[in-house]
Amino acid sequence: MIDKYIPAEIEPRWQARWEADRLYEMRSDDSRPKWYALTMFPYTSGDLHIGHWYAMAPSDVFARFKRMQGFNVLHPMGFDAFGLPAENAAIKHGVHPYTWTMKNVENMRRQLKSIGAVYDWSREVVTCLPEYYKWTQWFFIKLWEAGLAYRAKAPVNWCPACKAVLANEQVVDGSCWRCEAPVARRDLEQWFFRITRYADELMRHDHLDWPERIKTMQANWVGRSEGTEIAFALESGDSNTSGNPGEIKVFTTRPDTAYGVTFMVLAPEHPLVASITAPDRRTAIDEYIRQVRMRTEIERLSVDKEKDGVFTGAYATNRLNDERVPVFIADYVLLSYGTGAVMGVPAHDERDFAFAKRYNLPMKVVIAPPNWQEEEALSGAYTGPGRMVNSGMFNGTINTDGARDITKHLEAQGWGCPSISYKLRDWLISRQRYWGAPIPMIYCKQCGLQPVPERDLPVLLPEDAEFRPGGDSPLTYHKVFLKTTCPNCGGQAQRETDTMDTFMCSSWYFLRYCSPHCSEAAYDSRQVQQWMPIDIYTGGADHAVMHLFYARFFVKALRDMGLLSFNEPFLRLFNQGVITCQHQKMSKSKGNVVNPDDYVQMLGADTVRAYIMFVGPWEQGGDWDDSGISGLSRFLNRVWTLALEPYKIKNWDEAAERALQRTTHQTIRRVSGDMERLHFNTMLAALMEYASQLNKARETGGISEHLWNESVQALLLMIAPTAPHLAEELWARRGLPYSIHSQSWPKWDEVLAQAETIPLLIQVSGKLRDKLLVAPDIAEDEARTMAMASAKVQAHTSGKEIVQCIYVPGRLINLVVRP
RNA sequence: GCCGGGGUGGCGGAACUGGCAGACGCAGCGGACUUAAAAUCCGCCGGAGCAAUCCUUGUGGGUUCAAAUCCCUCCCCCGGCACCA
C-alpha cells in the first residue's frame, strides 16, 4: 500500500532543500551556453494574485525546460518598488512608504517562493533601495551628459488626483493611466529625455522575434509621417507692429493640395499668436485661449466635438498663387505635432471641411474627384486620388506626382522643403512626488544647473518627510534635503525636488540582475556581456508601449555612450493573455481579486501551476474559473500512483513492447515541440495521454520491467518543469539520483517514433467512407486496389465512373466519381 | 472611423503545411468497488434518424477532388490607436 500524495508536505520540504543546496544559483564559470529568461518583475502592490501566477508559472516552466536542455539559465526575480500607491498608503494610513513597500515585498517574496520557481533569490533586485537607485540616478547624469536629458517649460499632462505630471504614454483616453482621473494641461518647467532622437530606430524591430501586434503598436506610437514643410508669408493684423512680420510654417502630407488653401489655423499655444493678433481681435483670442486651457484632455480629444476657433485678424499669403487667406486659432490643431500650424484645405481634408462649414469659409477644389463637373461645393471633403485642377502649372498632373513636383518647386523657390514629423514626444520623467528616485541635480545661483558628483550618489530620500494630503511633494518642504552646496563653487545651492518616473527604474533592472551586488558600477560589464541580450522576455501586453519602449531607448542610449555593445535588450518577446474575474479586470477596488494561496494550500503549487497552463493557450488568457482544477489534481495523483505502485510483468509481448516504446518517443517529440512554442496546454494533454497509455500497459503487463522503468522516468522528466515538487519526490522515491532538475531533457529517436501502420482514409468524392490500416509507405497502386476492394467504398462507386484518383501518401486516397 | 486578434459541443479548448472536426480536461449519464457515501477505476457523451445515412466550426457566397483552415460580403466579441495636418 503506497501512501497518499500530500503536496502540502512535499512542496515546502523540496523548496527548502533546493534553497539550501543553492540548486538554482548561477555560476559565471559555467561552460554551458547561457539562456536569459526574464519575466516582468511585479509592482509591490501587496499581494500576488492569480494573474501574477499566470505570468510567473508558465515562464518558470519554460526556464526549467531550457535548464534541462543544457542551458545555463538565468531566471531572476525582483520588485518594481517605487511609485504612487506607496505614497497614497502613507497619506491614508500614516505608514511610511518604505515600510509599506518592504512589508509588501516580504509577503510577495513568500508567495513567489510558493510557486516553486527556479528564481535565484541571491540576485533579487528592489528598485527603491539606495543600492539600486544610486545607479538609476547615475544613469540620469549619464543621459544628461550625453545631451539626452533637458529641462524645459512646456504644456504638460497634469493629473489632478495624483498631483503629478504624466508622460504622454501615461495618458490613456485623456485620463491618468493609474487613477483614471481626467488629465488637465499645465505649463511647467520639467525634465525630459530626448527619446525622439531614437524615433526611427525605435520603430524598427529588425531580427526581433516579437508579436506583430506589439511591433505595430510601437511603430504607430512613433507615428512617423513624411510630408512637406511650407512657409506662408505673414501679414500682421496688428498695424502697429513694424518691420517684417515673418512667416507661418506648416507641415502637410498633402502638398498636392497646396493650391486649395483658403485659410490657416494655428494651435492656440503657438508662439506667433500673440504677435499677429489684431488689436480688435485680442479680447476674443484671449477668451478662447482661456477656455481651451480649462478643457480637459478628454474634451479636447473628443472627435464628436464641433471644431471651434477664432479669427486672429491676421492674413497669410500662399506664395504659390499669391492668394491671401485668414489666419485662425483652433484647438484641433496641436502645438506638439508638426509645426503647430496647418494650412486649411477644406475641399480635401475632413477636419478643414468641418471647420470651413462652420465659419463659412470658401472651398476650392484642386484634386478632381471622379465624375467631377467643376462644381465648387462638395458634400464632403474628397481625400482620394485624382488629377490636379486650379493648380497653376500643375494642372492635369496626377496628384501623387504633383505632391512630389510641388515640393520640388517649393524647395527651388525657398518656400518649403521635404520634412518628416513624428507623433512621438520626448519622455517627461519629472514627478512631483516623494516615493521615487530623486533627480540628482543641483541649482546654484552662480554656476547654474549642476549634476550631483558621482561620489555623492545616491541622493538619499530623507526618511523624516511629512506626508500631507493634497500638498506638493514632501521634498519641497524638507529644508535639510533642499539645502546643499554647489559642487562647482561650494556656495549655497538647492536640490531638485522632483523624483523620477518609475519607468526609469524598470528601464535597466534586467542589467542589474547580471551583477546585482556590484558596488562600483551599475553593472559589471563582463557579466552583462555574458548574459545580455535577453533570450526570452515574458509579460503582459499592457507594457507594449511604455516599459518596452523606454527600456529599448535606454539600451540604445547606453550603447551610443559606449556602455553597452548590443542594440536590443529583448530578442524574443511573448505576451501572456489577461486573466479576468467575472469578465472584469481584477483589481482591489473592484474586490474581485483571486488569491492563489488557498488553492496552493489545498491542492498544492504543482496542481495550480499545471491548471493555469492547461486551461488554454498562454497568449489568450481568459476568465478565471476553478471548476476544472480537480482534473489536474486527479492527473497528478495518477502520476503519483503510476510511479510508486510496483510493476509486475504478466506475459511479455514484443508488439506491446515496441508499441509503448513508440508512444514514448512520439510523446517526447510532441512535448518538446509544444514546450519550444510555449503551447503548454497541448503539452499537458500529451502527457495525460501518455500517462493513460502507461496505465494500460501496466494492466496488460506485456512489457519488460526495464521498459516500464524507462517509460516512467521519461514521464517524470517531462513533467518536471510543470510539477517540479512532485517530480522530484517521485524521482527520489524511485531511488534515482538527486536532483531531477539537474537531469537532461529526454531525447526522441525518429526511427523509434515512426508508426508501423497508419490509418489510410478512403474517400469517395471527398467524403470519408472507410479507413484501412496500411504501412505508411504504401504505394498508390496498392492503396487504390485496397480501396476499390472495400465494400463500403463499392456501395458508393458501383455503376459510376471513377474520373480521378487523388493520393496523398501516408494520409488518404480520394476516388472522385461522376455522379 | 482605422489597425490587430478572435467567433468550433453544455463549458475550457484541440486540429502542425488545405486532408478523419471535436484530442485533452470539466460538467453530465451509466456501470464496477462499497452496508453506504466519498475517493478510485471502466464505459458513453455535437444534432436528427430504428438504420443506412444526413446535418454541423458566427452569416451568406466563392475557389478546390477535399475548407474550421484560402478568397469575398455581412454580423458579433476582445485589444490597440484615434482631430497627428
Side-chain angles (χ1 to χ4, degrees):
Chain A
M1 191 60 187
I2 58 165
D3 56 348
K4 272 182 72 181
Y5 167 45
I6 304 167
E9 186 272 316
I10 294 168
E11 292 178 356
R13 180 155 47 78
W14 284 115
Q15 283 169 16
R17 171 87 189 265
W18 296 331
E19 198 168 339
D21 294 344
R22 304 179 165 209
L23 189 63
Y24 304 131
E25 282 186 25
M26 300 305 117
R27 292 213 324 270
S28 45
D29 60 354
D30 202 304
S31 61
R32 293 172 299 172
K34 73 94 182 178
W35 184 270
Y36 192 169
L38 185 65
T39 300
M40 291 179 189
F41 64 169
Y43 176 70
T44 50
S45 54
D47 277 300
L48 233 50
H49 55 69
I50 204 76
H52 288 107
W53 271 71
Y54 196 67
M56 313 291 182
S59 58
D60 179 60
V61 171
F62 191 65
R64 287 177 175 279
F65 169 65
K66 283 288 158 189
R67 257 176 69 91
M68 291 178 81
Q69 275 190 327
F71 288 93
N72 184 21
V73 172
L74 173 60
H75 188 44
M77 189 41 69
F79 299 95
D80 185 15
F82 269 138
L84 204 55
E87 203 164 336
N88 288 342
I91 294 165
K92 217 169 159 185
H93 307 298
V95 53
H96 195 279
Y98 176 84
T99 316
W100 183 85
T101 304
M102 293 315 278
K103 213 181 111 217
N104 288 345
V105 164
E106 211 172 300
N107 184 47
M108 290 172 79
R109 195 191 287 125
R110 173 191 63 78
Q111 289 181 300
L112 280 163
K113 284 187 176 181
S114 77
I115 296 177
V118 291
Y119 304 136
D120 176 355
W121 286 103
S122 72
R123 287 176 184 262
E124 181 193 78
V125 152
V126 183
T127 60
C128 70
L129 298 179
E131 66 202 50
Y132 185 85
Y133 72 71
K134 169 180 180 175
W135 300 109
T136 309
Q137 293 173 336
W138 184 81
F139 281 121
F140 178 94
I141 292 167
K142 286 288 145 196
L143 289 165
W144 188 74
E145 288 169 354
L148 289 169
Y150 66 95
R151 213 172 139 71
K153 187 163 183 171
V156 296
N157 309 301
W158 174 260
C159 174
C162 299
K163 302 219 162 18
V165 297
L166 301 170
N168 270 23
E169 290 78 8
Q170 291 164 345
V171 179
V172 179
D173 293 333
S175 301
C176 173
W177 69 297
R178 187 153 245 160
C179 70
E180 294 178 21
V183 167
R185 315 214 114 230
R186 274 200 181 183
D187 275 327
L188 284 176
E189 179 109 346
Q190 299 286 303
W191 283 100
F192 292 88
F193 283 156
R194 245 182 254 285
I195 195 167
T196 49
R197 192 177 281 179
Y198 290 88
D200 281 315
E201 207 185 337
L202 287 168
M203 68 182 286
R204 286 202 319 267
H205 300 85
D206 309 340
H207 314 298
L208 294 185
D209 182 5
W210 280 34
E212 213 51 47
R213 187 166 55 109
I214 306 294
K215 292 197 269 187
T216 310
M217 275 165 75
Q218 292 203 344
N220 288 344
W221 192 259
V222 173
R224 176 191 158 103
S225 55
E226 292 181 21
T228 306
E229 201 172 285
I230 307 177
F232 286 71
L234 197 52
E235 168 191 321
S236 178
D238 185 350
S239 47
N240 296 328
T241 310
S242 55
N244 182 6
E247 43 189 27
I248 299 177
K249 284 182 177 155
V250 302
F251 172 78
T252 179
T253 52
R254 294 294 305 274
D256 50 315
T257 65
Y259 281 81
V261 176
T262 58
F263 61 94
M264 312 226 8
V265 189
L266 301 182
E269 310 90 343
H270 197 286
L272 275 175
V273 172
S275 61
I276 65 168
T277 301
D280 62 323
R281 302 296 307 153
R282 181 127 302 171
T283 324
I285 290 282
D286 288 349
E287 173 58 19
Y288 182 73
I289 292 174
R290 203 181 60 79
Q291 275 178 26
V292 164
R293 293 185 63 84
M294 273 164 36
R295 288 180 187 164
T296 62
E297 276 296 285
I298 297 181
E299 288 164 335
R300 192 167 171 176
L301 291 175
S302 165
V303 183
D304 311 323
K305 195 193 71 156
E306 276 227 34
K307 300 211 177 336
D308 55 12
V310 179
F311 178 44
T312 60
Y315 288 85
T317 303
N318 184 351
R319 285 158 169 156
L320 287 167
N321 54 12
D322 285 324
E323 278 177 23
R324 191 167 169 267
V325 297
V327 179
F328 287 75
I329 63 169
D331 75 343
Y332 81 87
V333 175
L334 311 172
L335 180 68
S336 56
Y337 185 76
T339 60
V342 301
M343 57 184 207
V345 186
H348 304 292
D349 181 280
E350 277 159 30
R351 294 151 302 180
D352 296 344
F353 184 89
F355 193 77
K357 273 270 172 213
R358 173 153 181 176
Y359 294 103
N360 266 317
L361 298 164
M363 301 199 187
K364 192 174 155 197
V365 176
V366 290
I367 311 288
N371 308 318
W372 184 60
Q373 303 297 323
E374 308 220 350
E375 67 269 20
E376 297 241 325
L378 300 178
S379 56
Y382 175 69
T383 54
R387 286 197 184 275
M388 293 170 66
V389 293
N390 293 324
S391 297
M393 60 196 270
F394 300 97
N395 280 340
T397 315
I398 295 285
N399 73 311
T400 42
D401 297 337
R404 183 196 60 215
D405 295 348
I406 286 190
T407 303
K408 274 189 192 152
H409 177 64
L410 289 167
E411 201 169 11
Q413 300 292 322
W415 298 338
C417 58
S419 173
I420 294 163
S421 269
Y422 298 91
K423 276 164 53 176
L424 182 67
R425 306 268 65 86
D426 276 339
W427 176 15
L428 195 169
I429 59 124
S430 292
R431 293 295 177 273
Q432 294 67 47
R433 307 303 317 182
Y434 168 82
W435 195 233
I439 293 175
M441 297 298 284
I442 291 168
Y443 298 96
C444 171
K445 285 220 170 72
Q446 305 300 315
C447 318
L449 208 50
Q450 297 292 324
V452 173
E454 193 177 328
R455 61 171 187 277
D456 293 340
L457 292 179
V459 176
L460 288 169
L461 277 172
E463 281 172 37
D464 57 346
E466 262 188 76
F467 301 95
R468 285 176 284 188
D472 302 301
S473 162
L475 294 180
T476 56
Y477 303 119
H478 198 286
K479 294 212 172 65
V480 183
F481 177 83
L482 209 57
K483 221 176 112 180
T484 186
T485 53
C486 171
N488 198 39
C489 69
Q492 277 200 1
Q494 270 203 5
R495 283 192 194 284
E496 168 66 66
T497 56
D498 282 353
T499 52
M500 293 183 234
D501 183 0
T502 51
F503 279 104
M504 177 97 187
C505 311
S506 54
S507 290
W508 71 280
Y509 76 109
F510 46 89
L511 299 173
R512 188 68 183 169
Y513 279 140
C514 300
S515 51
H517 308 296
C518 182
S519 55
E520 327 59 85
Y523 53 82
D524 177 333
S525 295
R526 284 194 333 275
Q527 294 294 318
V528 163
Q529 186 77 28
Q530 184 190 340
W531 291 108
M532 290 296 294
I534 287 152
D535 296 279
I536 185 164
Y537 194 26
T538 60
D542 43 336
H543 291 107
V545 270
M546 293 198 253
H547 163 58
L548 290 170
F549 211 68
Y550 296 144
R552 290 179 66 216
F553 159 67
F554 237 73
V555 161
K556 290 172 193 300
L558 294 180
R559 173 202 61 197
D560 290 347
M561 293 174 207
L563 296 172
L564 291 175
S565 56
F566 51 93
N567 295 316
E568 291 282 351
F570 317 120
L571 298 179
R572 183 178 177 190
L573 176 72
F574 185 90
N575 297 115
Q576 79 271 1
V578 180
I579 289 291
T580 52
C581 185
Q582 284 128 34
H583 301 281
Q584 283 195 308
K585 223 175 168 174
M586 278 185 219
S587 79
K588 274 190 181 168
S589 55
K590 288 195 192 106
N592 63 345
V593 177
V594 178
N595 188 317
D597 288 6
D598 300 339
Y599 294 107
V600 174
Q601 196 88 89
M602 276 186 307
L603 301 164
D606 285 342
T607 298
V608 180
R609 289 168 68 105
Y611 180 58
I612 272 175
M613 290 187 294
F614 186 68
V615 285
W618 196 24
E619 64 261 52
Q620 202 174 287
D623 202 52
W624 176 255
D625 171 10
D626 61 12
S627 65
I629 200 167
S630 54
L632 276 297
S633 179
R634 270 175 224 159
F635 168 59
L636 295 188
N637 268 293
R638 270 201 296 276
V639 173
W640 177 269
T641 320
L642 202 60
L644 295 183
E645 266 189 2
Y647 173 76
K648 273 193 225 75
I649 183 166
K650 288 171 192 158
N651 38 0
W652 189 79
D653 169 21
E654 195 186 348
E657 183 97 1
R658 273 213 310 271
L660 181 61
Q661 201 173 41
R662 187 162 50 242
T663 306
T664 302
H665 285 264
Q666 284 173 350
T667 304
I668 297 171
R669 185 171 61 190
R670 261 175 86 184
V671 169
S672 305
D674 281 344
M675 277 282 196
E676 211 65 73
R677 286 173 296 152
L678 312 174
H679 290 185
F680 301 119
N681 54 333
T682 48
M683 179 271 288
L684 277 164
L687 288 179
M688 287 173 178
E689 282 180 64
Y690 185 52
S692 69
Q693 288 298 313
L694 283 178
N695 249 330
K696 280 193 188 122
R698 195 221 313 270
E699 295 284 304
T700 321
I703 60 163
S704 68
E705 222 161 285
H706 175 78
L707 181 65
W708 172 259
N709 288 332
E710 210 178 69
S711 308
V712 170
Q713 282 173 33
L715 175 66
L716 293 181
L717 288 168
M718 284 189 281
I719 211 169
T722 303
H725 313 86
L726 173 85
E728 187 80 286
E729 176 75 13
L730 293 175
W731 192 257
R733 287 195 185 210
R734 291 181 63 86
L736 295 159
Y738 176 80
S739 155
I740 191 170
H741 303 298
S742 304
Q743 307 299 316
S744 295
W745 185 253
K747 290 188 176 58
W748 75 92
D749 183 324
E750 279 297 342
V751 177
L752 290 175
Q754 207 156 62
E756 270 172 25
T757 57
I758 51 122
L760 186 75
L761 311 177
I762 317 295
Q763 295 182 340
V764 178
S765 293
K767 291 212 192 262
L768 184 71
R769 297 302 177 188
D770 203 0
K771 280 182 212 178
L772 299 171
L773 272 184
V774 301
D777 55 351
I778 186 170
E780 179 170 356
D781 288 352
E782 197 187 339
R784 186 175 173 162
T785 312
M786 285 176 76
M788 304 282 278
S790 155
K792 288 178 187 165
V793 169
Q794 281 166 7
H796 293 92
T797 54
S798 65
K800 290 170 185 161
E801 186 195 348
I802 292 170
V803 291
Q804 202 184 350
C805 175
I806 286 144
Y807 178 63
V808 183
R811 268 192 202 273
L812 62 82
I813 186 156
N814 186 7
L815 304 168
V816 185
V817 296
R818 184 167 290 157

